[in-house]
Amino acid sequence: MRHQRMAAVLGALALGATGLTATATATAAPTVETGSTVSATGAETSYVVLADRGGSATALAKRLEAKGAKVVSVNDKVGMVTVTSTDTAFAAKTRAMKGVFGAAEEGIVGRSPQERAKKQQLERPRAQAKGKAAAAGQGKGKGKSKGADPLDDKLWGLDMINASAAHKVESGDKRVKVGVIDTGVDASHPDIAPNFDHKLSRNFTTDIPDIDGPCEVESCVDPADVDNGGHGTHVAGTIAAAKNGIGVSGVAPDVSIVNVRAGQDAGYFFVGPTVNALTYSADAGLDVVNMSFYVDPWAYYCEGGAPEDSPEEAAEQDMIIESMSRALNYAHSKDVTMVGALGNAATDLANPGTDSESPNYPEGNAHDRTIDNSSCKDLPVEGPHVIGVSAVGPTERKSYFSNYTTDLTSDEIEISAPGGDSRDNYGTPDYRSPSNLILSSVPENVVKAEGSVDEDGNITEAGEGYVFKDCGRVKGKEQCGYYEYYQGTSMASPHAAGVASLIVSRYGKTAGKAGFGLAADTTRGVLLGTARNKACPEPRTVVYPELPAAYTATCVGDEDFNGFYGEGIIDAQAAVAKKKL
């Protein structure tokens, strides 16, 4: 599904990051002619402008304002200015300005790996499900071990990474802050509320009705404690759902969750909010961020563009590559450990071949592009300092949808983690069972909107086997939470982010004004160094039954490192086993 482009309505961008400022001018751009560039007055549209390296975003903002643009936000950390203008030639004229690295209309530049239209087929493949279903949704699970939450017996992913054993040594430290850069986080969910940091949470997006549906609040800027998409709350629960006698437990049930929202309700991401979310995470002192999204409108961002791209398209890609690189480097410089989903296209990232879907926004502009892996990147996962995570199913087979690589010299995959695979356990009653997926927290409003739960709060036929409701007393109050099975590298990444936060909790130190934390390179080293080796399957070429040949994948490498599993499958117990580093 692709959405029609809409004139930007980002004037109420939620701010709060150090280095982010907003202004309030509203001068409309006149109709002008500059050289061969003819501009006219059109609908107010949002643009992102990037200063040359070392340039001042504040100074650039003043210049743009003087030319009639309305400045929405200024990010001095990376030299980015977000503006609106009615000048239809704004981008072309701004690119020609001295001191400007690039400018682009702020269309949709990112989305979660599964859009809403695709969730039924990938995240929740219930329409095709057959075989043994999970127990119906009402009531409590079995409770596997003493101290476990009621639905923890369904969390095969936590068993795979030895989370319970890890918790005997380290279950997290509230001083460790994990940022969820996603569609938002529902702070009212009973498994999220105990660990949610209201003070640090921010929303950098404005709802766009053409994409997200009607605004929930008059300003169209949701509070920083809601999630109308569901994806972010599911991610947050895997990372740090509280071990509190209700629902599920997270990988790190005692760390703090910070909502750093950059995604629209529908799962799309704009470049301005995404970059602002990253730099805010750095300035706010977050220890780990999870990025279960990928960057649009290009499936691959090519330096100088692909051979078939226009000069304008090439300039847009260069600008977004530079913007994301600056933001990722800045976050790393502040010791933020960044974890990202490897992607769900079942693609060999070393040989992506021809891209026929880009740019996917605005509609109607996609064309065949020859992708050269040496100059093209899948962002943000192939950006600097991002730990790329592939997905595995319950049998530890590479998930049928998970990207991988056959180039072991590239910086594409680092580790693997449980992400679910509805097609695992082929030939058994568990094939196409929801129990092959990842269960985690979801907002009540989302499951009601999708028809999985009725207005009385009961699981509907559509939600049977995929959605669970668990109720109990939390801090003396009766509360109910909802939980749903998803699959994707979006679900693998938060498992790894959770282990990273356990590492910071276990080995972190207090360093003066910087507070409690651990160097990002150290966290990365422990996470990768303690992963459990997982050799390539034999035979090395995996054919996924009942799927087209395009899903067939070949594993390259050895037990120490290969293109399916990277350094191996994350191991929480091994990661916190030492008393000190």
Side-chain angles (χ1 to χ4, degrees):
M1 180 177 66
R2 293 289 177 257
H3 303 279
Q4 295 294 327
R5 182 173 65 84
M6 175 185 177
V9 290
L10 299 180
L13 178 69
L15 300 170
T18 304
L20 291 178
T21 59
T23 62
T25 59
T27 306
T31 301
V32 298
E33 181 171 342
T34 305
S36 60
T37 302
V38 179
S39 60
T41 301
E44 188 173 27
T45 302
S46 180
Y47 299 88
V48 170
V49 183
L50 193 66
D52 276 339
R53 294 171 186 173
S56 167
T58 299
L60 176 58
K62 291 179 180 179
R63 293 170 61 201
L64 295 171
E65 188 176 33
K67 290 182 177 293
K70 176 183 177 181
V71 177
V72 176
S73 70
V74 179
N75 188 327
D76 272 315
K77 305 302 182 181
V78 294
M80 175 177 282
V81 184
T82 303
V83 304
T84 61
S85 174
T86 56
D87 185 351
T88 59
F90 178 84
K93 293 196 299 185
T94 302
R95 290 186 192 115
M97 289 174 57
K98 184 178 180 180
V100 171
F101 183 94
E105 183 176 332
E106 192 170 53
I108 295 171
V109 297
R111 68 170 186 274
S112 304
Q114 300 84 38
E115 303 167 25
R116 279 184 175 175
K118 294 181 180 178
K119 275 189 176 181
Q120 298 296 332
Q121 300 166 358
L122 184 58
E123 284 192 342
R124 301 187 312 280
R126 64 182 68 166
Q128 299 82 26
K130 56 186 178 181
K132 185 177 70 177
Q138 301 286 350
K140 300 181 181 296
K142 297 176 183 177
K144 240 185 178 181
S145 59
K146 184 178 180 180
D149 280 345
L151 298 177
D152 281 1
D153 64 324
K154 305 181 189 308
L155 305 185
W156 57 265
L158 264 60
D159 293 338
M160 182 182 290
I161 67 171
N162 298 314
S164 293
H167 294 167
K168 295 177 181 179
V169 176
E170 181 62 71
S171 61
D173 186 313
K174 282 291 187 293
R175 294 175 295 177
V176 176
K177 314 292 186 182
V178 184
V180 178
I181 302 181
D182 214 293
T183 60
V185 176
D186 176 16
S188 69
H189 194 287
D191 253 329
I192 301 296
N195 292 333
F196 190 83
D197 190 320
H198 287 269
K199 183 177 179 180
L200 289 181
S201 291
R202 298 288 186 275
N203 174 18
F204 292 97
T205 69
T206 299
D207 285 352
I208 299 176
D210 279 3
I211 297 171
D212 303 313
C215 295
E216 291 80 13
V217 295
E218 185 176 355
S219 68
C220 288
V221 179
D222 294 329
D225 58 359
V226 302
D227 177 14
N228 294 309
H231 193 271
T233 302
H234 196 280
V235 165
T238 295
I239 295 170
K243 190 176 289 188
N244 58 352
I246 186 172
V248 300
S249 303
V251 175
D254 290 318
V255 300
S256 295
I257 299 168
V258 181
N259 176 25
V260 193
R261 180 176 168 181
Q264 305 297 133
D265 288 343
Y268 290 95
F269 288 72
F270 291 88
V271 67
T274 300
V275 167
N276 288 342
L278 280 165
T279 57
Y280 171 77
S281 296
D283 292 332
L286 305 193
D287 299 284
V288 179
V289 297
N290 185 82
M291 298 184 292
S292 287
F293 64 89
Y294 68 92
V295 177
D296 285 328
W298 305 93
Y300 299 91
Y301 285 81
C302 302
E303 296 175 3
E308 300 84 0
D309 296 336
S310 70
E312 292 76 16
E313 291 171 333
E316 178 181 83
Q317 290 171 70
D318 286 343
M319 182 264 190
I320 294 175
I321 291 171
E322 179 72 12
S323 300
M324 289 297 295
S325 294
R326 291 185 192 181
L328 294 168
N329 280 321
Y330 182 76
H332 179 260
S333 76
K334 298 290 187 176
D335 284 322
V336 181
T337 299
M338 295 171 286
V339 185
L342 199 63
N344 301 332
T347 295
D348 175 7
L349 293 175
N351 297 286
T354 300
D355 169 25
S356 301
E357 299 183 356
S358 302
N360 56 24
Y361 185 91
E363 290 184 347
N365 292 309
H367 56 268
D368 287 349
R369 308 170 65 229
T370 304
I371 304 302
D372 181 350
N373 188 50
S374 67
S375 60
C376 301
K377 299 178 180 180
D378 180 1
L379 293 173
V381 72
E382 290 187 81
H385 311 296
V386 179
I387 299 170
V389 187
S390 67
V392 301
T395 68
E396 300 187 356
R397 181 186 71 168
K398 182 190 81 68
S399 301
Y400 74 91
F401 51 78
S402 182
N403 287 349
Y404 62 102
T405 186
T406 55
D407 181 2
L408 302 187
T409 65
S410 63
D411 187 19
E412 291 165 341
I413 181 174
E414 276 73 36
I415 49 174
S416 57
D421 184 346
S422 65
R423 295 176 177 272
D424 210 348
N425 290 302
Y426 183 73
T428 76
D430 288 320
Y431 181 62
R432 309 309 301 275
S433 168
S435 61
N436 286 342
L437 313 185
I438 302 299
L439 187 68
S440 188
S441 49
V442 287
E444 180 176 352
N445 61 303
V446 170
V447 288
K448 284 184 174 180
E450 69 188 18
S452 300
V453 173
D454 64 25
E455 286 304 313
D456 293 327
N458 300 313
I459 309 297
T460 66
E461 183 178 354
E464 283 291 335
Y466 281 84
V467 177
F468 292 82
K469 177 182 181 181
D470 191 41
C471 302
R473 296 192 70 79
V474 179
K475 293 185 177 180
K477 180 181 179 182
E478 183 73 13
Q479 298 186 51
C480 295
Y482 292 90
Y483 307 84
E484 189 165 7
Y485 278 117
Y486 286 10
Q487 66 176 356
T489 55
S490 280
M491 286 64 252
S493 182
H495 280 87
V499 175
S501 69
L502 289 179
I503 292 167
V504 179
S505 299
R506 178 67 166 163
Y507 306 115
K509 298 182 182 299
T510 301
K513 293 182 179 179
F516 185 82
L518 188 67
D521 287 338
T522 301
T523 304
R524 177 192 180 102
V526 175
L527 182 66
L528 273 57
T530 58
R532 173 169 55 85
N533 284 353
K534 178 66 177 178
C536 286
E538 292 294 344
R540 285 174 173 253
T541 296
V542 178
V543 177
Y544 295 89
E546 300 182 7
L547 284 174
Y551 286 88
T552 298
T554 299
C555 186
V556 173
D558 56 25
E559 185 180 41
D560 290 333
F561 189 89
N562 59 67
F564 277 15
Y565 305 102
E567 298 282 356
I569 298 173
I570 57 171
D571 188 331
Q573 181 183 21
V576 299
K578 294 182 179 179
K579 291 185 177 180
K580 61 180 181 179
L581 295 178

